Amino acid sequence: MIRILALILAAAAASPVSALSCIPTDVTRSYSDAATSDKLYVVLLGRYDFDTRELPKTDWDHQENTPQSTLIAARFNGHSLSRTGFKTPFESDITINVQCFGPWCASLKRNAQILSFVEKTNTGYVLSTSPCGDFAFQNPTEDQIEQAIACHRGQRCDASPL
């Protein structure tokens, strides 16, 4: 019995293990990344309405078929960030670029409150989000909202150390 258990444990230890490892992100790091980018971003707080059936789904038996990127049409309703806070009403069509890293995909909930950093392009607005979160914070805390406001006002905006 002990010999069988030892063989099972040895086989499990020898099998490949893969897991997603993300650099911890926070609102200040995302704000800094957007502010220093050569792209133009708007910071939004509100809700995205979209068809959740369009979100990518991983076939765990055929992980290689997971799309790297899925574009989903959405409607945003909320506010954009100004020096006075999230006071400016903002409503627009926005494309959500749901990215996958291997079999792991970003996940957004329809009509959840989201603090997001949205790229303004020549063809419209695009929210790119990955399984690591980076530019979309679902159900943000008051502290996260205040961090975005402080960064926008030029106040303390230090990203957490890695």
mmCIF file of all heavy atoms in Angstrom, residues 78-118:
data_model
loop_
_atom_site.group_PDB
_atom_site.id
_atom_site.type_symbol
_atom_site.label_atom_id
_atom_site.label_comp_id
_atom_site.label_asym_id
_atom_site.label_seq_id
_atom_site.Cartn_x
_atom_site.Cartn_y
_atom_site.Cartn_z
ATOM 1 N N GLY A 78 -21.990 55.848 -16.810
ATOM 2 C CA GLY A 78 -21.385 56.204 -15.533
ATOM 3 C C GLY A 78 -20.801 57.595 -15.590
ATOM 4 O O GLY A 78 -21.428 58.522 -16.122
ATOM 5 N N HIS A 79 -19.581 57.724 -15.070
ATOM 6 C CA HIS A 79 -18.927 59.024 -14.987
ATOM 7 C C HIS A 79 -17.448 58.913 -15.355
ATOM 8 O O HIS A 79 -16.826 57.879 -15.123
ATOM 9 C CB HIS A 79 -19.052 59.587 -13.569
ATOM 10 C CG HIS A 79 -20.467 59.888 -13.203
ATOM 11 N ND1 HIS A 79 -21.311 58.939 -12.681
ATOM 12 C CD2 HIS A 79 -21.186 61.034 -13.310
ATOM 13 C CE1 HIS A 79 -22.493 59.482 -12.477
ATOM 14 N NE2 HIS A 79 -22.458 60.753 -12.850
ATOM 15 N N SER A 80 -16.911 60.005 -15.890
ATOM 16 C CA SER A 80 -15.478 60.070 -16.172
ATOM 17 C C SER A 80 -14.802 60.869 -15.064
ATOM 18 O O SER A 80 -15.436 61.661 -14.365
ATOM 19 C CB SER A 80 -15.209 60.694 -17.535
ATOM 20 O OG SER A 80 -15.634 62.043 -17.551
ATOM 21 N N LEU A 81 -13.505 60.664 -14.928
ATOM 22 C CA LEU A 81 -12.722 61.297 -13.881
ATOM 23 C C LEU A 81 -12.268 62.685 -14.300
ATOM 24 O O LEU A 81 -11.736 62.870 -15.395
ATOM 25 C CB LEU A 81 -11.502 60.423 -13.547
ATOM 26 C CG LEU A 81 -10.563 60.917 -12.455
ATOM 27 C CD1 LEU A 81 -11.292 61.112 -11.127
ATOM 28 C CD2 LEU A 81 -9.403 59.946 -12.289
ATOM 29 N N SER A 82 -12.486 63.651 -13.411
ATOM 30 C CA SER A 82 -11.949 65.003 -13.575
ATOM 31 C C SER A 82 -11.294 65.378 -12.252
ATOM 32 O O SER A 82 -11.302 64.590 -11.299
ATOM 33 C CB SER A 82 -13.073 65.992 -13.923
ATOM 34 O OG SER A 82 -13.933 66.159 -12.811
ATOM 35 N N ARG A 83 -10.739 66.553 -12.163
ATOM 36 C CA ARG A 83 -10.067 66.967 -10.920
ATOM 37 C C ARG A 83 -11.023 67.017 -9.726
ATOM 38 O O ARG A 83 -10.589 66.944 -8.585
ATOM 39 C CB ARG A 83 -9.395 68.318 -11.117
ATOM 40 C CG ARG A 83 -8.204 68.212 -12.060
ATOM 41 C CD ARG A 83 -7.125 69.205 -11.665
ATOM 42 N NE ARG A 83 -5.997 69.123 -12.555
ATOM 43 C CZ ARG A 83 -4.940 68.366 -12.325
ATOM 44 N NH1 ARG A 83 -4.864 67.640 -11.261
ATOM 45 N NH2 ARG A 83 -3.945 68.345 -13.185
ATOM 46 N N THR A 84 -12.311 67.129 -9.982
ATOM 47 C CA THR A 84 -13.294 67.153 -8.896
ATOM 48 C C THR A 84 -13.798 65.757 -8.541
ATOM 49 O O THR A 84 -14.631 65.610 -7.665
ATOM 50 C CB THR A 84 -14.493 68.058 -9.258
ATOM 51 O OG1 THR A 84 -15.111 67.556 -10.437
ATOM 52 C CG2 THR A 84 -14.056 69.501 -9.447
ATOM 53 N N GLY A 85 -13.319 64.747 -9.245
ATOM 54 C CA GLY A 85 -13.728 63.375 -8.968
ATOM 55 C C GLY A 85 -14.507 62.802 -10.136
ATOM 56 O O GLY A 85 -14.421 63.291 -11.263
ATOM 57 N N PHE A 86 -15.267 61.778 -9.856
ATOM 58 C CA PHE A 86 -16.084 61.138 -10.886
ATOM 59 C C PHE A 86 -17.440 61.846 -10.935
ATOM 60 O O PHE A 86 -18.454 61.333 -10.461
ATOM 61 C CB PHE A 86 -16.253 59.637 -10.589
ATOM 62 C CG PHE A 86 -15.001 58.848 -10.822
ATOM 63 C CD1 PHE A 86 -14.163 58.535 -9.762
ATOM 64 C CD2 PHE A 86 -14.653 58.431 -12.094
ATOM 65 C CE1 PHE A 86 -12.998 57.811 -9.970
ATOM 66 C CE2 PHE A 86 -13.490 57.712 -12.318
ATOM 67 C CZ PHE A 86 -12.659 57.398 -11.249
ATOM 68 N N LYS A 87 -17.428 63.053 -11.485
ATOM 69 C CA LYS A 87 -18.632 63.898 -11.496
ATOM 70 C C LYS A 87 -19.195 64.108 -12.896
ATOM 71 O O LYS A 87 -20.344 64.485 -13.046
ATOM 72 C CB LYS A 87 -18.311 65.274 -10.898
ATOM 73 C CG LYS A 87 -17.681 65.225 -9.532
ATOM 74 C CD LYS A 87 -18.702 65.176 -8.467
ATOM 75 C CE LYS A 87 -17.982 65.277 -7.128
ATOM 76 N NZ LYS A 87 -18.714 64.824 -6.032
ATOM 77 N N THR A 88 -18.394 63.899 -13.935
ATOM 78 C CA THR A 88 -18.822 64.194 -15.298
ATOM 79 C C THR A 88 -19.558 62.989 -15.879
ATOM 80 O O THR A 88 -18.955 61.926 -16.057
ATOM 81 C CB THR A 88 -17.597 64.538 -16.180
ATOM 82 O OG1 THR A 88 -16.853 65.583 -15.556
ATOM 83 C CG2 THR A 88 -18.040 64.959 -17.571
ATOM 84 N N PRO A 89 -20.863 63.134 -16.175
ATOM 85 C CA PRO A 89 -21.584 62.004 -16.767
ATOM 86 C C PRO A 89 -20.916 61.560 -18.073
ATOM 87 O O PRO A 89 -20.439 62.381 -18.858
ATOM 88 C CB PRO A 89 -22.975 62.575 -17.047
ATOM 89 C CG PRO A 89 -23.108 63.723 -16.099
ATOM 90 C CD PRO A 89 -21.720 64.300 -15.987
ATOM 91 N N PHE A 90 -20.881 60.260 -18.276
ATOM 92 C CA PHE A 90 -20.248 59.696 -19.464
ATOM 93 C C PHE A 90 -21.046 58.478 -19.880
ATOM 94 O O PHE A 90 -21.234 57.548 -19.092
ATOM 95 C CB PHE A 90 -18.797 59.302 -19.155
ATOM 96 C CG PHE A 90 -17.987 58.931 -20.351
ATOM 97 C CD1 PHE A 90 -17.170 59.855 -20.974
ATOM 98 C CD2 PHE A 90 -18.025 57.634 -20.858
ATOM 99 C CE1 PHE A 90 -16.411 59.507 -22.082
ATOM 100 C CE2 PHE A 90 -17.276 57.275 -21.965
ATOM 101 C CZ PHE A 90 -16.464 58.226 -22.577
ATOM 102 N N GLU A 91 -21.512 58.499 -21.109
ATOM 103 C CA GLU A 91 -22.236 57.370 -21.670
ATOM 104 C C GLU A 91 -21.736 57.181 -23.094
ATOM 105 O O GLU A 91 -21.671 58.136 -23.863
ATOM 106 C CB GLU A 91 -23.737 57.645 -21.670
ATOM 107 C CG GLU A 91 -24.570 56.465 -22.078
ATOM 108 C CD GLU A 91 -26.058 56.709 -21.915
ATOM 109 O OE1 GLU A 91 -26.455 57.642 -21.191
ATOM 110 O OE2 GLU A 91 -26.818 55.964 -22.539
ATOM 111 N N SER A 92 -21.353 55.953 -23.421
ATOM 112 C CA SER A 92 -20.784 55.718 -24.743
ATOM 113 C C SER A 92 -20.756 54.230 -25.067
ATOM 114 O O SER A 92 -20.745 53.388 -24.164
ATOM 115 C CB SER A 92 -19.352 56.262 -24.796
ATOM 116 O OG SER A 92 -18.789 56.075 -26.074
ATOM 117 N N ASP A 93 -20.711 53.945 -26.371
ATOM 118 C CA ASP A 93 -20.402 52.593 -26.806
ATOM 119 C C ASP A 93 -18.914 52.375 -26.581
ATOM 120 O O ASP A 93 -18.106 53.278 -26.849
ATOM 121 C CB ASP A 93 -20.728 52.411 -28.292
ATOM 122 C CG ASP A 93 -22.222 52.463 -28.567
ATOM 123 O OD1 ASP A 93 -23.002 52.055 -27.681
ATOM 124 O OD2 ASP A 93 -22.611 52.918 -29.652
ATOM 125 N N ILE A 94 -18.567 51.225 -26.067
ATOM 126 C CA ILE A 94 -17.169 50.890 -25.801
ATOM 127 C C ILE A 94 -16.940 49.445 -26.220
ATOM 128 O O ILE A 94 -17.781 48.585 -25.974
ATOM 129 C CB ILE A 94 -16.814 51.084 -24.308
ATOM 130 C CG1 ILE A 94 -16.895 52.569 -23.955
ATOM 131 C CG2 ILE A 94 -15.439 50.501 -23.980
ATOM 132 C CD1 ILE A 94 -16.601 52.903 -22.524
ATOM 133 N N THR A 95 -15.809 49.199 -26.853
ATOM 134 C CA THR A 95 -15.423 47.830 -27.188
ATOM 135 C C THR A 95 -14.604 47.277 -26.031
ATOM 136 O O THR A 95 -13.642 47.908 -25.587
ATOM 137 C CB THR A 95 -14.592 47.796 -28.483
ATOM 138 O OG1 THR A 95 -15.383 48.324 -29.548
ATOM 139 C CG2 THR A 95 -14.163 46.380 -28.813
ATOM 140 N N ILE A 96 -14.995 46.122 -25.549
ATOM 141 C CA ILE A 96 -14.218 45.448 -24.502
ATOM 142 C C ILE A 96 -13.343 44.409 -25.191
ATOM 143 O O ILE A 96 -13.849 43.534 -25.902
ATOM 144 C CB ILE A 96 -15.126 44.772 -23.463
ATOM 145 C CG1 ILE A 96 -16.066 45.789 -22.820
ATOM 146 C CG2 ILE A 96 -14.273 44.071 -22.401
ATOM 147 C CD1 ILE A 96 -17.101 45.163 -21.900
ATOM 148 N N ASN A 97 -12.038 44.528 -24.998
ATOM 149 C CA ASN A 97 -11.083 43.568 -25.524
ATOM 150 C C ASN A 97 -10.729 42.605 -24.387
ATOM 151 O O ASN A 97 -9.908 42.915 -23.534
ATOM 152 C CB ASN A 97 -9.839 44.285 -26.039
ATOM 153 C CG ASN A 97 -8.796 43.329 -26.578
ATOM 154 O OD1 ASN A 97 -9.013 42.132 -26.655
ATOM 155 N ND2 ASN A 97 -7.648 43.857 -26.942
ATOM 156 N N VAL A 98 -11.391 41.461 -24.371
ATOM 157 C CA VAL A 98 -11.175 40.457 -23.330
ATOM 158 C C VAL A 98 -9.999 39.593 -23.769
ATOM 159 O O VAL A 98 -10.083 38.866 -24.753
ATOM 160 C CB VAL A 98 -12.436 39.597 -23.112
ATOM 161 C CG1 VAL A 98 -12.193 38.556 -22.021
ATOM 162 C CG2 VAL A 98 -13.629 40.477 -22.766
ATOM 163 N N GLN A 99 -8.901 39.687 -23.032
ATOM 164 C CA GLN A 99 -7.682 38.960 -23.387
ATOM 165 C C GLN A 99 -7.545 37.684 -22.564
ATOM 166 O O GLN A 99 -7.988 37.625 -21.418
ATOM 167 C CB GLN A 99 -6.474 39.858 -23.179
ATOM 168 C CG GLN A 99 -6.535 41.111 -24.020
ATOM 169 C CD GLN A 99 -5.477 42.127 -23.636
ATOM 170 O OE1 GLN A 99 -4.791 41.998 -22.627
ATOM 171 N NE2 GLN A 99 -5.348 43.162 -24.456
ATOM 172 N N CYS A 100 -6.939 36.699 -23.180
ATOM 173 C CA CYS A 100 -6.662 35.430 -22.509
ATOM 174 C C CYS A 100 -5.154 35.183 -22.551
ATOM 175 O O CYS A 100 -4.502 35.461 -23.551
ATOM 176 C CB CYS A 100 -7.385 34.279 -23.200
ATOM 177 S SG CYS A 100 -9.184 34.445 -23.218
ATOM 178 N N PHE A 101 -4.627 34.665 -21.465
ATOM 179 C CA PHE A 101 -3.239 34.221 -21.401
ATOM 180 C C PHE A 101 -3.301 32.707 -21.260
ATOM 181 O O PHE A 101 -3.609 32.201 -20.187
ATOM 182 C CB PHE A 101 -2.508 34.819 -20.217
ATOM 183 C CG PHE A 101 -2.414 36.328 -20.212
ATOM 184 C CD1 PHE A 101 -2.177 37.003 -19.030
ATOM 185 C CD2 PHE A 101 -2.561 37.071 -21.369
ATOM 186 C CE1 PHE A 101 -2.078 38.390 -19.009
ATOM 187 C CE2 PHE A 101 -2.469 38.451 -21.357
ATOM 188 C CZ PHE A 101 -2.226 39.116 -20.170
ATOM 189 N N GLY A 102 -3.035 32.008 -22.376
ATOM 190 C CA GLY A 102 -3.230 30.562 -22.353
ATOM 191 C C GLY A 102 -4.703 30.294 -22.109
ATOM 192 O O GLY A 102 -5.563 30.934 -22.705
ATOM 193 N N PRO A 103 -5.027 29.412 -21.186
ATOM 194 C CA PRO A 103 -6.430 29.096 -20.941
ATOM 195 C C PRO A 103 -7.126 30.077 -19.990
ATOM 196 O O PRO A 103 -8.323 29.996 -19.788
ATOM 197 C CB PRO A 103 -6.370 27.700 -20.319
ATOM 198 C CG PRO A 103 -5.057 27.679 -19.609
ATOM 199 C CD PRO A 103 -4.127 28.494 -20.479
ATOM 200 N N TRP A 104 -6.377 31.020 -19.404
ATOM 201 C CA TRP A 104 -6.953 31.937 -18.434
ATOM 202 C C TRP A 104 -7.424 33.207 -19.129
ATOM 203 O O TRP A 104 -6.654 33.851 -19.848
ATOM 204 C CB TRP A 104 -5.938 32.291 -17.345
ATOM 205 C CG TRP A 104 -5.521 31.082 -16.579
ATOM 206 C CD1 TRP A 104 -6.180 30.502 -15.536
ATOM 207 C CD2 TRP A 104 -4.360 30.303 -16.794
ATOM 208 N NE1 TRP A 104 -5.502 29.393 -15.100
ATOM 209 C CE2 TRP A 104 -4.367 29.257 -15.859
ATOM 210 C CE3 TRP A 104 -3.304 30.385 -17.700
ATOM 211 C CZ2 TRP A 104 -3.364 28.303 -15.799
ATOM 212 C CZ3 TRP A 104 -2.308 29.430 -17.632
ATOM 213 C CH2 TRP A 104 -2.351 28.408 -16.687
ATOM 214 N N CYS A 105 -8.669 33.568 -18.903
ATOM 215 C CA CYS A 105 -9.248 34.738 -19.564
ATOM 216 C C CYS A 105 -9.755 35.740 -18.537
ATOM 217 O O CYS A 105 -10.134 35.381 -17.423
ATOM 218 C CB CYS A 105 -10.412 34.319 -20.456
ATOM 219 S SG CYS A 105 -9.938 33.200 -21.785
ATOM 220 N N ALA A 106 -9.776 37.004 -18.961
ATOM 221 C CA ALA A 106 -10.353 38.051 -18.126
ATOM 222 C C ALA A 106 -11.821 37.750 -17.908
ATOM 223 O O ALA A 106 -12.468 37.097 -18.720
ATOM 224 C CB ALA A 106 -10.187 39.402 -18.806
ATOM 225 N N SER A 107 -12.328 38.237 -16.820
ATOM 226 C CA SER A 107 -13.737 38.028 -16.515
ATOM 227 C C SER A 107 -14.353 39.344 -16.081
ATOM 228 O O SER A 107 -13.850 40.008 -15.181
ATOM 229 C CB SER A 107 -13.866 36.993 -15.399
ATOM 230 O OG SER A 107 -15.216 36.851 -15.024
ATOM 231 N N LEU A 108 -15.398 39.735 -16.753
ATOM 232 C CA LEU A 108 -16.144 40.926 -16.370
ATOM 233 C C LEU A 108 -17.588 40.529 -16.124
ATOM 234 O O LEU A 108 -18.117 39.648 -16.804
ATOM 235 C CB LEU A 108 -16.102 41.981 -17.481
ATOM 236 C CG LEU A 108 -14.782 42.676 -17.718
ATOM 237 C CD1 LEU A 108 -14.911 43.645 -18.892
ATOM 238 C CD2 LEU A 108 -14.316 43.415 -16.484
ATOM 239 N N LYS A 109 -18.200 41.191 -15.172
ATOM 240 C CA LYS A 109 -19.606 40.945 -14.901
ATOM 241 C C LYS A 109 -20.432 42.084 -15.489
ATOM 242 O O LYS A 109 -20.105 43.259 -15.304
ATOM 243 C CB LYS A 109 -19.843 40.832 -13.406
ATOM 244 C CG LYS A 109 -19.205 39.603 -12.826
ATOM 245 C CD LYS A 109 -19.542 39.426 -11.384
ATOM 246 C CE LYS A 109 -18.871 38.153 -10.906
ATOM 247 N NZ LYS A 109 -18.810 38.062 -9.485
ATOM 248 N N ARG A 110 -21.458 41.713 -16.177
ATOM 249 C CA ARG A 110 -22.361 42.686 -16.776
ATOM 250 C C ARG A 110 -23.033 43.498 -15.668
ATOM 251 O O ARG A 110 -23.505 42.950 -14.681
ATOM 252 C CB ARG A 110 -23.409 41.937 -17.598
ATOM 253 C CG ARG A 110 -24.415 42.811 -18.258
ATOM 254 C CD ARG A 110 -25.349 41.937 -19.107
ATOM 255 N NE ARG A 110 -26.408 42.734 -19.622
ATOM 256 C CZ ARG A 110 -27.647 42.707 -19.169
ATOM 257 N NH1 ARG A 110 -27.967 41.892 -18.191
ATOM 258 N NH2 ARG A 110 -28.552 43.488 -19.695
ATOM 259 N N ASN A 111 -23.032 44.804 -15.849
ATOM 260 C CA ASN A 111 -23.677 45.752 -14.950
ATOM 261 C C ASN A 111 -23.077 45.814 -13.548
ATOM 262 O O ASN A 111 -23.679 46.378 -12.643
ATOM 263 C CB ASN A 111 -25.190 45.518 -14.888
ATOM 264 C CG ASN A 111 -25.855 45.958 -16.180
ATOM 265 O OD1 ASN A 111 -25.472 46.958 -16.779
ATOM 266 N ND2 ASN A 111 -26.833 45.191 -16.630
ATOM 267 N N ALA A 112 -21.887 45.245 -13.349
ATOM 268 C CA ALA A 112 -21.174 45.437 -12.088
ATOM 269 C C ALA A 112 -20.514 46.814 -12.141
ATOM 270 O O ALA A 112 -20.181 47.311 -13.215
ATOM 271 C CB ALA A 112 -20.106 44.363 -11.908
ATOM 272 N N GLN A 113 -20.340 47.442 -11.011
ATOM 273 C CA GLN A 113 -19.615 48.710 -10.994
ATOM 274 C C GLN A 113 -18.142 48.422 -11.284
ATOM 275 O O GLN A 113 -17.545 47.541 -10.662
ATOM 276 C CB GLN A 113 -19.749 49.411 -9.650
ATOM 277 C CG GLN A 113 -18.883 50.652 -9.578
ATOM 278 C CD GLN A 113 -19.595 51.831 -8.987
ATOM 279 O OE1 GLN A 113 -20.730 52.089 -9.322
ATOM 280 N NE2 GLN A 113 -18.923 52.538 -8.115
ATOM 281 N N ILE A 114 -17.575 49.161 -12.243
ATOM 282 C CA ILE A 114 -16.190 48.927 -12.645
ATOM 283 C C ILE A 114 -15.462 50.258 -12.744
ATOM 284 O O ILE A 114 -15.952 51.205 -13.368
ATOM 285 C CB ILE A 114 -16.126 48.180 -13.998
ATOM 286 C CG1 ILE A 114 -16.797 46.810 -13.880
ATOM 287 C CG2 ILE A 114 -14.684 48.024 -14.470
ATOM 288 C CD1 ILE A 114 -16.882 46.026 -15.160
ATOM 289 N N LEU A 115 -14.300 50.327 -12.131
ATOM 290 C CA LEU A 115 -13.360 51.434 -12.306
ATOM 291 C C LEU A 115 -12.442 50.996 -13.433
ATOM 292 O O LEU A 115 -11.791 49.949 -13.331
ATOM 293 C CB LEU A 115 -12.578 51.671 -11.024
ATOM 294 C CG LEU A 115 -11.409 52.659 -11.080
ATOM 295 C CD1 LEU A 115 -11.889 54.052 -11.456
ATOM 296 C CD2 LEU A 115 -10.674 52.674 -9.749
ATOM 297 N N SER A 116 -12.416 51.755 -14.528
ATOM 298 C CA SER A 116 -11.667 51.289 -15.689
ATOM 299 C C SER A 116 -10.862 52.398 -16.339
ATOM 300 O O SER A 116 -11.192 53.579 -16.244
ATOM 301 C CB SER A 116 -12.627 50.662 -16.718
ATOM 302 O OG SER A 116 -13.659 51.559 -17.061
ATOM 303 N N PHE A 117 -9.800 51.980 -16.996
ATOM 304 C CA PHE A 117 -8.913 52.851 -17.753
ATOM 305 C C PHE A 117 -9.117 52.479 -19.215
ATOM 306 O O PHE A 117 -8.716 51.406 -19.649
ATOM 307 C CB PHE A 117 -7.467 52.630 -17.306
ATOM 308 C CG PHE A 117 -7.250 52.990 -15.855
ATOM 309 C CD1 PHE A 117 -7.612 52.104 -14.847
ATOM 310 C CD2 PHE A 117 -6.718 54.213 -15.514
ATOM 311 C CE1 PHE A 117 -7.436 52.433 -13.514
ATOM 312 C CE2 PHE A 117 -6.536 54.549 -14.179
ATOM 313 C CZ PHE A 117 -6.901 53.661 -13.181
ATOM 314 N N VAL A 118 -9.777 53.373 -19.955
ATOM 315 C CA VAL A 118 -10.265 53.074 -21.296
ATOM 316 C C VAL A 118 -9.485 53.892 -22.320
ATOM 317 O O VAL A 118 -9.380 55.120 -22.194
ATOM 318 C CB VAL A 118 -11.776 53.369 -21.391
ATOM 319 C CG1 VAL A 118 -12.289 53.128 -22.794
ATOM 320 C CG2 VAL A 118 -12.542 52.524 -20.374
#
